[in-house]
Amino acid sequence: MDLVPALEEPLKKVLGPATAKVMAEHLGLHTVGDLLHHYPRRYEERGQLTHLADLPMDEHVTVVAQVADARLHTFASAKAPRGKGQRLEVTITDGSGRLQLVFFGAGVHKPHKELLPGTRAMFAGKVSVFNRRVQLAHPAYELLRGDAEETVETWAGALIPIYPATAKLESWKIGKALQTVLPSAQEAVDPLPESLRAGRGLVGLPEALLKIHRPHTKADVEDARARLKWDEAFVLQVALARRRHADAQLPAVARRPKPDGLLTAFDDRLPFTLTEGQRKVSAEIFTDLATEHPMHRLLQGEVGSGKTMVALRAMLAVVDAGGQAAMLAPTEVLAQQHHRSVTEMMGELAEGGMLGGAETATKVVLLTGSMGAAARRHALLDLATGEAGLVIGTHALIEDKVKFHDLGLVVVDEQHRFGVEQRDALRGKGKQPPHLLVMTATPIPRTVAMTVFGDLETSVLDQLPAGRSPIASHVVPAADKPHFLARAWERVREEVEGGHQAYVVCPRIGDEEDDPKKAGRKKSPEDEAERRPPLAVLDIAEQLAAGPLRGLRVEVLHGRMQPDDKDAVMRRFAAGEVDVLVATTVIEVGVNVPNATAMVIMDADRFGVSQLHQLRGRVGRGSAPGLCLLVTEMPEASPARQRLTAVASTLDGFELSRIDLEQRREGDVLGQAQSGTRSSLRMLAVIDDEEIIAEAREEAAGIVAADPELTGLPGLRTALEALLDEEREQYLEKG
């Protein structure tokens, strides 16, 4: 019988089924190895206490503090009408601040006996506010006793590790579980090649795991972190390098446009000249298309920098060369819009096989999930015969039924909604792998591009086409200065009177069910702003039409409308028959109405930085200057307000994406890019560790070039399999 390697041992064998179940369900930890890689979030020193003064609201926290006083109150309530209700209030302090703990009912007896003034303990619970005071209700706690033996056993070392925990499993319980499995760390197989480790003075993996979980000094923590960051960066970069290496071995059909074909005819009818940036990026793409390996390129462009134009020219070049090109959009609305704008830009060149079509013309078909059966059959036939050179669609393009005559290029719009597996599925539709161009309008800092899209070459469009106007952005503090909001609506009226149109964006639709449980409670004014539901499209549209925008043509647009209704509203807005469009973020991507000059974003603090930047890019698309007003009730000093000020102060998407990354945890950014699941990065901070990522990329490329199968590096192969398994699982979950 095979012995299971120590790190693959299931946790339920080692820790017992109950603890293992919570770890699997709440933390995604299944094996001893998973638990060893669940690193502390920070460390508390015994003598120093965490700052009670800056606890985050609504988060699960662990604090080390001393009991200052404890009082037992009795009160009458519905359950205990005779004044027999009991409430224990314990005040704890850490020198920086005080915090109230509350226990009720039968839960008061044990803490009443144990939490005596002067007692030190670790407390864990969810931070909430009651009567304007911060408190932890029914926290779990673990006493820090002075008796030598227990302290040494349980809290070895002077630094107490605080783990990312959940309500079901406190940090110290995770710590105790780790003490149980820590001896297995000795058997961890090291993924880093010996030469790389020695060259950079990194400690071995077993030592790093011991030091991260049981550090004696801060230097131990630094050593361990430096080493574990390298592991993550290197293993990820090796995976990407191998993907690049494998792609480079694939054959592809070189696609060179005909000298006087469709592309030339299209360029001749353009009413404007391409920007320098568009020409440069097009040249890079055409060079790639002319090679016999599939192109894999990421095209990043600021909102409105003309990415669609660059992509369309690449698609036409492929049609010229006898192939077909497919553009994949994340939503039906976007696919329909791309289809409309492409057929408009091409004019008679899109009327292949029809009366009045130009002789070089081709057909442009749309393929989405909600099409009628007849239209769909027709579209599929045009693709199979090669009659349609261009197809624009949603995920429906990936289905098995879709057959191409000769697929030469796939353009994917808004990459982060699209996984590697889906790219591969579409790629399988060609006789040979088609070329691939991925477009994103969310500027991505270089390191994130290296980490998330490391298998793609990158092109950047950073100048706006001539005639695009600057956008002025301002924060409107509705709570501090209500007259600013009134002025915002006046500005919207002025724009409309000047012959322009405006958007009003809200975070919510407004037809959701209200939660009756939440309605009855009385709240403090601070709570009001913090906790009131986000403003909704349907409510705001009604208020505006009856109030500050009375007499203007106001319509609504949101994701729950029928596709045809959405389309009809967008068409009326584009045709200038609607003055003000009150919408959710469905307008975030791809809507192009050059006459829309103003945008008011309600509850702007509830949107992310890059989302605000995307939304703002919808105005100022014509020759008139754009105006974007960010309405918020957040107080001036709050992080939310600082974020809005940052957005208002710059139009540079790359600068904003850095700010965004620094403010959120990377996990979110990578998680989103890696298809919305937990990021595989636990130690690496993408912005701060730029150097490590760049060096790891170089090392990885060298190692893969010399030994693509990694035959000489069994440890690295094992780590890679684990990483790829996790990725594979993510795709399966995403399905």
Side-chain angles (χ1 to χ4, degrees):
M1 162 185 145
D2 276 354
L3 281 174
V4 179
L7 272 63
E8 287 169 32
E9 189 80 68
L11 286 172
K12 54 171 182 282
K13 281 199 170 153
V14 190
L15 302 174
T19 309
K21 184 170 185 249
V22 177
M23 286 194 169
E25 284 174 9
H26 294 274
L27 297 168
L29 309 174
H30 304 279
T31 64
V32 168
D34 291 345
L35 181 54
L36 286 172
H37 287 295
H38 185 71
Y39 307 132
R41 178 175 282 165
R42 57 191 170 81
Y43 300 87
E44 286 298 348
E45 288 181 68
R46 262 257 177 53
Q48 285 181 344
L49 301 173
T50 155
H51 284 297
L52 295 181
D54 27 302
L55 290 178
M57 290 313 297
D58 278 346
E59 273 198 34
H60 222 82
V61 299
T62 303
V63 296
V64 178
Q66 190 157 10
V67 177
D69 66 43
R71 295 181 185 172
L72 192 61
H73 302 273
T74 51
F75 61 93
S77 72
K79 283 187 181 161
R82 290 215 188 83
K84 294 277 174 61
Q86 291 195 308
R87 182 173 80 243
L88 175 65
E89 289 179 2
V90 178
T91 307
I92 58 173
T93 175
D94 67 348
S96 79
R98 299 166 86 80
L99 178 65
Q100 186 103 31
L101 314 177
V102 203
F103 300 89
F104 292 101
V108 303
H109 305 307
K110 185 167 176 274
H112 189 44
K113 283 210 296 279
E114 295 185 333
L115 296 179
L116 305 171
T119 312
R120 310 232 7 238
M122 294 174 88
F123 301 92
K126 193 170 179 187
V127 184
S128 58
V129 169
F130 182 72
N131 278 344
R132 299 205 186 185
R133 288 168 68 188
V134 182
Q135 65 168 29
L136 296 183
H138 280 283
Y141 61 88
E142 176 89 349
L143 302 179
L144 292 174
R145 296 203 174 82
D147 57 319
E149 188 188 13
E150 194 202 43
T151 313
V152 171
E153 271 312 298
T154 323
W155 313 108
L159 297 172
I160 301 172
I162 304 289
Y163 290 94
T166 74
K168 297 268 190 292
L169 200 64
E170 294 86 26
S171 168
W172 55 85
K173 290 191 179 154
I174 298 173
K176 283 183 172 165
L178 266 151
Q179 298 296 342
T180 312
V181 300
L182 210 48
S184 312
Q186 292 305 337
E187 299 180 42
V189 185
D190 204 319
L192 293 192
E194 179 54 44
S195 55
L196 190 157
R197 235 176 36 231
R200 298 183 182 276
L202 299 169
V203 301
L205 183 57
E207 186 183 338
L209 290 171
L210 281 172
K211 283 184 166 175
I212 200 85
H213 293 298
R214 292 182 74 165
H216 292 291
T217 61
K218 288 182 178 167
D220 284 353
V221 177
E222 287 313 302
D223 284 355
R225 281 194 172 143
R227 162 61 218 245
L228 295 166
K229 279 180 177 184
W230 252 95
D231 272 19
E232 282 177 15
F234 181 71
V235 174
L236 187 58
Q237 291 301 340
V238 167
L240 293 167
R242 288 188 67 188
R243 200 178 286 155
R244 283 197 304 274
H245 183 272
D247 285 343
Q249 311 306 309
L250 293 171
V253 180
R255 310 277 178 176
R256 298 183 183 83
K258 292 204 288 277
D260 291 317
L262 187 55
L263 181 61
T264 313
F266 175 75
D267 284 348
D268 289 346
R269 44 168 298 148
L270 281 182
F272 51 81
T273 52
L274 297 175
T275 65
E276 183 54 40
Q278 284 174 317
R279 279 202 293 272
K280 183 178 114 271
V281 171
S282 289
E284 291 173 352
I285 291 172
F286 289 156
T287 307
D288 283 359
L289 288 173
T291 60
E292 299 192 344
H293 299 298
M295 161 173 87
H296 292 113
R297 195 164 275 284
L298 172 68
L299 173 56
Q300 292 195 57
E302 274 292 5
V303 184
S305 56
K307 290 182 299 298
T308 315
M309 173 59 68
V310 170
L312 178 55
R313 293 185 71 240
M315 291 167 81
L316 295 175
V318 169
V319 175
D320 256 351
Q324 289 168 296
M327 179 184 272
L328 219 55
T331 64
E332 295 216 351
V333 174
L334 247 184
Q336 286 161 346
Q337 254 170 301
H338 277 317
H339 182 252
R340 232 189 350 265
S341 63
V342 164
T343 44
E344 277 166 18
M345 283 197 270
M346 288 175 64
E348 73 269 19
L349 296 175
E351 295 168 4
M354 294 184 245
L355 277 173
E359 80 189 82
T360 48
T362 183
K363 245 191 204 174
V364 182
V365 302
L366 177 68
L367 192 62
T368 64
S370 67
M371 280 167 80
R376 194 179 165 79
R377 233 186 355 264
H378 209 102
L380 288 173
L381 190 66
D382 283 345
L383 286 180
T385 58
E387 187 94 348
L390 300 184
V391 56
I392 294 168
T394 53
H395 289 55
L397 281 178
I398 301 179
E399 289 170 14
D400 292 345
K401 292 197 280 295
V402 182
K403 297 277 183 285
F404 288 88
H405 177 65
D406 178 14
L407 181 60
L409 168 68
V410 176
V411 178
V412 179
D413 188 14
E414 282 303 305
Q415 160 66 17
H416 55 256
R417 309 176 191 205
F418 234 84
V420 177
E421 304 280 292
Q422 289 152 316
R423 297 196 308 216
D424 289 347
L426 196 56
R427 220 182 254 179
K429 302 255 174 219
K431 296 194 175 74
Q432 283 194 330
H435 298 281
L436 175 72
L437 179 65
V438 171
M439 300 197 293
T440 171
T442 313
I444 306 168
R446 199 186 103 202
T447 35
V448 180
M450 279 196 297
T451 309
V452 182
F453 305 119
D455 56 334
L456 304 172
E457 297 296 326
T458 307
S459 296
V460 177
L461 271 179
D462 46 13
Q463 57 181 142
L464 294 183
R468 284 299 299 269
S469 308
I471 304 170
S473 308
H474 304 282
V475 178
V476 177
D480 323 348
K481 303 183 176 156
H483 58 284
F484 276 37
L485 183 58
R487 176 73 189 112
W489 301 126
E490 282 170 26
R491 283 290 290 117
V492 170
R493 287 197 89 96
E494 287 163 16
E495 290 295 315
V496 173
E497 280 155 16
H500 297 299
Q501 293 158 282
Y503 297 101
V504 176
V505 182
C506 305
R508 199 166 64 102
I509 297 174
D511 54 2
E512 300 87 345
E513 286 296 300
D514 281 336
D515 184 345
K517 286 206 290 276
K518 290 180 183 159
R521 292 206 304 265
K522 190 86 186 76
K523 300 189 181 92
S524 70
E526 289 97 294
D527 255 18
E528 250 345 281
E530 191 65 23
R531 296 282 166 271
R532 71 164 169 73
L535 294 170
V537 167
L538 301 176
D539 309 344
I540 292 283
E542 218 168 275
Q543 291 165 21
L544 292 175
L549 303 184
R550 198 181 305 109
L552 301 186
R553 297 167 299 175
V554 177
E555 293 212 21
V556 301
L557 178 72
H558 58 74
R560 248 183 257 140
M561 290 162 64
Q562 290 302 316
D564 294 351
D565 298 345
K566 272 194 264 201
D567 227 37
V569 171
M570 255 339 287
R571 246 190 226 123
R572 285 201 296 280
F573 188 62
E577 294 160 21
V578 174
D579 299 320
V580 179
L581 187 61
V582 184
T584 54
T585 54
V586 289
I587 61 156
E588 177 186 353
V589 197
V591 177
N592 190 14
V593 180
N595 191 41
T597 51
M599 176 178 284
V600 180
I601 303 180
M602 307 303 291
D603 276 347
D605 47 89
R606 305 204 183 218
F607 298 97
V609 170
S610 29
Q611 201 173 24
L612 290 169
H613 183 57
Q614 287 284 78
L615 285 166
R616 166 170 66 184
R618 300 294 119 216
V619 294
R621 297 178 81 89
S623 50
L627 171 69
C628 177
L629 302 173
L630 306 167
V631 180
T632 177
E633 293 187 1
M634 284 298 162
E636 200 160 347
S638 63
R641 206 35 198 277
Q642 289 159 3
R643 214 170 55 227
L644 296 180
T645 310
V647 173
S649 66
T650 175
L651 289 171
D652 178 346
F654 286 94
E655 178 52 33
L656 285 174
S657 66
R658 276 191 87 96
I659 294 171
D660 195 18
L661 252 185
E662 281 160 8
Q663 293 204 338
R664 301 190 304 176
R665 295 191 313 282
E666 269 75 28
D668 307 348
V669 181
L670 297 182
Q672 185 190 15
Q674 296 169 347
S675 66
T677 46
R678 191 171 63 124
S679 151
S680 53
L681 300 187
R682 298 188 177 86
M683 261 300 159
L684 206 60
V686 177
I687 286 277
D688 304 340
D689 298 324
E690 194 160 345
E691 279 172 35
I692 296 183
I693 293 171
E695 288 174 24
R697 186 180 162 108
E698 263 174 52
E699 292 271 7
I703 279 171
V704 170
D707 178 6
E709 292 307 306
L710 309 177
T711 29
L713 299 165
L716 178 55
R717 269 215 316 277
T718 312
L720 206 55
E721 278 157 20
L723 175 78
L724 296 178
D725 266 358
E726 192 169 306
E727 276 194 10
R728 222 168 272 134
E729 268 170 43
Q730 291 177 0
Y731 289 119
L732 291 175
E733 278 167 24
K734 199 176 62 183

